[in-house]
PDB file of all heavy atoms in Angstrom:
ATOM      1  N   GLN T 279      13.740   1.827  -2.491  1.00 90.00           N
ATOM      2  CA  GLN T 279      15.079   2.224  -2.950  1.00 90.00           C
ATOM      3  C   GLN T 279      15.778   3.194  -1.985  1.00 90.00           C
ATOM      4  O   GLN T 279      17.043   3.285  -2.006  1.00 90.00           O
ATOM      5  CB  GLN T 279      14.938   3.078  -4.263  1.00 90.00           C
ATOM      6  CG  GLN T 279      14.325   2.236  -5.444  1.00 90.00           C
ATOM      7  CD  GLN T 279      15.597   1.478  -6.197  1.00 90.00           C
ATOM      8  OE1 GLN T 279      16.598   1.314  -5.634  1.00 90.00           O
ATOM      9  NE2 GLN T 279      15.240   1.079  -7.434  1.00 90.00           N
ATOM     10  N   HIS T 280      15.035   3.780  -1.015  1.00 89.00           N
ATOM     11  CA  HIS T 280      15.678   4.657  -0.138  1.00 89.00           C
ATOM     12  C   HIS T 280      14.775   4.771   1.137  1.00 89.00           C
ATOM     13  O   HIS T 280      13.627   4.104   1.187  1.00 89.00           O
ATOM     14  CB  HIS T 280      15.785   6.057  -0.723  1.00 89.00           C
ATOM     15  CG  HIS T 280      14.529   6.609  -1.356  1.00 89.00           C
ATOM     16  ND1 HIS T 280      13.561   7.246  -0.730  1.00 89.00           N
ATOM     17  CD2 HIS T 280      14.120   6.506  -2.683  1.00 89.00           C
ATOM     18  CE1 HIS T 280      12.623   7.591  -1.547  1.00 89.00           C
ATOM     19  NE2 HIS T 280      12.935   7.145  -2.707  1.00 89.00           N
ATOM     20  N   GLN T 281      15.169   5.524   2.120  1.00 91.00           N
ATOM     21  CA  GLN T 281      14.479   5.524   3.447  1.00 91.00           C
ATOM     22  C   GLN T 281      13.093   6.063   3.381  1.00 91.00           C
ATOM     23  O   GLN T 281      12.249   5.548   4.129  1.00 91.00           O
ATOM     24  CB  GLN T 281      15.413   6.289   4.505  1.00 91.00           C
ATOM     25  CG  GLN T 281      14.914   6.039   5.938  1.00 91.00           C
ATOM     26  CD  GLN T 281      14.973   4.576   6.348  1.00 91.00           C
ATOM     27  OE1 GLN T 281      15.983   3.902   6.150  1.00 91.00           O
ATOM     28  NE2 GLN T 281      13.945   4.074   6.964  1.00 91.00           N
ATOM     29  N   GLU T 282      12.911   7.122   2.642  1.00 90.00           N
ATOM     30  CA  GLU T 282      11.596   7.657   2.595  1.00 90.00           C
ATOM     31  C   GLU T 282      10.566   6.674   1.915  1.00 90.00           C
ATOM     32  O   GLU T 282       9.412   6.552   2.436  1.00 90.00           O
ATOM     33  CB  GLU T 282      11.554   8.935   1.738  1.00 90.00           C
ATOM     34  CG  GLU T 282      10.203   9.630   1.748  1.00 90.00           C
ATOM     35  CD  GLU T 282      10.149  10.685   0.658  1.00 90.00           C
ATOM     36  OE1 GLU T 282      11.189  11.093   0.035  1.00 90.00           O
ATOM     37  OE2 GLU T 282       8.996  11.061   0.247  1.00 90.00           O
ATOM     38  N   ALA T 283      10.951   6.019   0.963  1.00 91.00           N
ATOM     39  CA  ALA T 283      10.233   4.915   0.309  1.00 91.00           C
ATOM     40  C   ALA T 283       9.902   3.849   1.283  1.00 91.00           C
ATOM     41  O   ALA T 283       8.738   3.302   1.352  1.00 91.00           O
ATOM     42  CB  ALA T 283      10.760   4.331  -0.954  1.00 91.00           C
ATOM     43  N   ALA T 284      10.880   3.428   2.090  1.00 93.00           N
ATOM     44  CA  ALA T 284      10.695   2.418   3.105  1.00 93.00           C
ATOM     45  C   ALA T 284       9.651   2.856   4.110  1.00 93.00           C
ATOM     46  O   ALA T 284       8.752   2.046   4.594  1.00 93.00           O
ATOM     47  CB  ALA T 284      12.028   2.175   3.820  1.00 93.00           C
ATOM     48  N   MET T 285       9.661   4.109   4.524  1.00 93.00           N
ATOM     49  CA  MET T 285       8.707   4.658   5.431  1.00 93.00           C
ATOM     50  C   MET T 285       7.246   4.580   4.849  1.00 93.00           C
ATOM     51  O   MET T 285       6.276   4.219   5.592  1.00 93.00           O
ATOM     52  CB  MET T 285       9.007   6.085   5.731  1.00 93.00           C
ATOM     53  CG  MET T 285       8.050   6.771   6.803  1.00 93.00           C
ATOM     54  SD  MET T 285       8.383   8.502   7.044  1.00 93.00           S
ATOM     55  CE  MET T 285       7.906   9.204   5.521  1.00 93.00           C
ATOM     56  N   ARG T 286       7.127   4.868   3.515  1.00 92.00           N
ATOM     57  CA  ARG T 286       5.788   4.761   2.934  1.00 92.00           C
ATOM     58  C   ARG T 286       5.320   3.350   2.912  1.00 92.00           C
ATOM     59  O   ARG T 286       4.097   3.112   3.146  1.00 92.00           O
ATOM     60  CB  ARG T 286       5.911   5.340   1.500  1.00 92.00           C
ATOM     61  CG  ARG T 286       6.227   6.771   1.392  1.00 92.00           C
ATOM     62  CD  ARG T 286       6.414   7.229   0.011  1.00 92.00           C
ATOM     63  NE  ARG T 286       5.216   6.990  -0.851  1.00 92.00           N
ATOM     64  CZ  ARG T 286       5.266   7.048  -2.199  1.00 92.00           C
ATOM     65  NH1 ARG T 286       6.445   7.411  -2.843  1.00 92.00           N
ATOM     66  NH2 ARG T 286       4.182   6.799  -2.883  1.00 92.00           N
ATOM     67  N   LEU T 287       6.202   2.402   2.748  1.00 93.00           N
ATOM     68  CA  LEU T 287       5.725   0.965   2.789  1.00 93.00           C
ATOM     69  C   LEU T 287       5.294   0.558   4.168  1.00 93.00           C
ATOM     70  O   LEU T 287       4.318  -0.239   4.317  1.00 93.00           O
ATOM     71  CB  LEU T 287       6.849   0.035   2.225  1.00 93.00           C
ATOM     72  CG  LEU T 287       7.068   0.057   0.739  1.00 93.00           C
ATOM     73  CD1 LEU T 287       8.147  -0.937   0.392  1.00 93.00           C
ATOM     74  CD2 LEU T 287       5.873  -0.175  -0.081  1.00 93.00           C
ATOM     75  N   GLU T 288       6.046   0.978   5.120  1.00 93.00           N
ATOM     76  CA  GLU T 288       5.668   0.676   6.513  1.00 93.00           C
ATOM     77  C   GLU T 288       4.224   1.336   6.795  1.00 93.00           C
ATOM     78  O   GLU T 288       3.493   0.655   7.564  1.00 93.00           O
ATOM     79  CB  GLU T 288       6.720   1.205   7.501  1.00 93.00           C
ATOM     80  CG  GLU T 288       8.075   0.606   7.337  1.00 93.00           C
ATOM     81  CD  GLU T 288       8.074  -0.841   7.834  1.00 93.00           C
ATOM     82  OE1 GLU T 288       7.094  -1.329   8.481  1.00 93.00           O
ATOM     83  OE2 GLU T 288       9.088  -1.530   7.546  1.00 93.00           O
ATOM     84  N   THR T 289       4.044   2.548   6.306  1.00 92.00           N
ATOM     85  CA  THR T 289       2.797   3.091   6.515  1.00 92.00           C
ATOM     86  C   THR T 289       1.685   2.336   5.731  1.00 92.00           C
ATOM     87  O   THR T 289       0.510   2.154   6.393  1.00 92.00           O
ATOM     88  CB  THR T 289       2.762   4.540   5.930  1.00 92.00           C
ATOM     89  OG1 THR T 289       3.673   5.316   6.655  1.00 92.00           O
ATOM     90  CG2 THR T 289       1.470   5.343   6.154  1.00 92.00           C
ATOM     91  N   GLU T 290       1.934   1.883   4.625  1.00 93.00           N
ATOM     92  CA  GLU T 290       0.940   1.025   3.816  1.00 93.00           C
ATOM     93  C   GLU T 290       0.647  -0.238   4.616  1.00 93.00           C
ATOM     94  O   GLU T 290      -0.510  -0.689   4.586  1.00 93.00           O
ATOM     95  CB  GLU T 290       1.463   0.682   2.529  1.00 93.00           C
ATOM     96  CG  GLU T 290       0.476  -0.072   1.652  1.00 93.00           C
ATOM     97  CD  GLU T 290       0.986  -0.321   0.190  1.00 93.00           C
ATOM     98  OE1 GLU T 290       2.139  -0.750   0.114  1.00 93.00           O
ATOM     99  OE2 GLU T 290       0.153  -0.192  -0.715  1.00 93.00           O
ATOM    100  N   LEU T 291       1.616  -0.766   5.277  1.00 93.00           N
ATOM    101  CA  LEU T 291       1.346  -1.953   6.048  1.00 93.00           C
ATOM    102  C   LEU T 291       0.280  -1.677   7.118  1.00 93.00           C
ATOM    103  O   LEU T 291      -0.651  -2.542   7.349  1.00 93.00           O
ATOM    104  CB  LEU T 291       2.688  -2.432   6.719  1.00 93.00           C
ATOM    105  CG  LEU T 291       2.542  -3.607   7.728  1.00 93.00           C
ATOM    106  CD1 LEU T 291       1.929  -4.885   7.088  1.00 93.00           C
ATOM    107  CD2 LEU T 291       3.812  -3.912   8.467  1.00 93.00           C
ATOM    108  N   GLN T 292       0.436  -0.596   7.805  1.00 91.00           N
ATOM    109  CA  GLN T 292      -0.502  -0.246   8.815  1.00 91.00           C
ATOM    110  C   GLN T 292      -1.914   0.003   8.222  1.00 91.00           C
ATOM    111  O   GLN T 292      -2.901  -0.421   8.810  1.00 91.00           O
ATOM    112  CB  GLN T 292      -0.022   1.025   9.581  1.00 91.00           C
ATOM    113  CG  GLN T 292       1.234   0.915  10.308  1.00 91.00           C
ATOM    114  CD  GLN T 292       1.022  -0.084  11.473  1.00 91.00           C
ATOM    115  OE1 GLN T 292       1.541  -1.163  11.429  1.00 91.00           O
ATOM    116  NE2 GLN T 292       0.443   0.422  12.583  1.00 91.00           N
ATOM    117  N   VAL T 293      -2.018   0.628   7.035  1.00 93.00           N
ATOM    118  CA  VAL T 293      -3.260   0.851   6.407  1.00 93.00           C
ATOM    119  C   VAL T 293      -3.906  -0.448   6.036  1.00 93.00           C
ATOM    120  O   VAL T 293      -5.128  -0.601   6.253  1.00 93.00           O
ATOM    121  CB  VAL T 293      -3.025   1.709   5.103  1.00 93.00           C
ATOM    122  CG1 VAL T 293      -4.283   1.796   4.246  1.00 93.00           C
ATOM    123  CG2 VAL T 293      -2.517   3.121   5.464  1.00 93.00           C
ATOM    124  N   LEU T 294      -3.181  -1.355   5.450  1.00 93.00           N
ATOM    125  CA  LEU T 294      -3.764  -2.626   5.026  1.00 93.00           C
ATOM    126  C   LEU T 294      -4.212  -3.441   6.281  1.00 93.00           C
ATOM    127  O   LEU T 294      -5.271  -4.173   6.071  1.00 93.00           O
ATOM    128  CB  LEU T 294      -2.731  -3.413   4.152  1.00 93.00           C
ATOM    129  CG  LEU T 294      -2.358  -2.792   2.836  1.00 93.00           C
ATOM    130  CD1 LEU T 294      -1.324  -3.692   2.133  1.00 93.00           C
ATOM    131  CD2 LEU T 294      -3.597  -2.495   1.972  1.00 93.00           C
TER     132      LEU T 294
END
Side-chain angles (χ1 to χ4, degrees):
Q279 295 273 20
H280 49 86
Q281 191 60 46
E282 183 196 342
M285 181 184 70
R286 292 173 61 193
L287 287 186
E288 297 289 347
T289 301
E290 184 179 42
L291 171 63
Q292 296 295 103
V293 172
L294 296 180

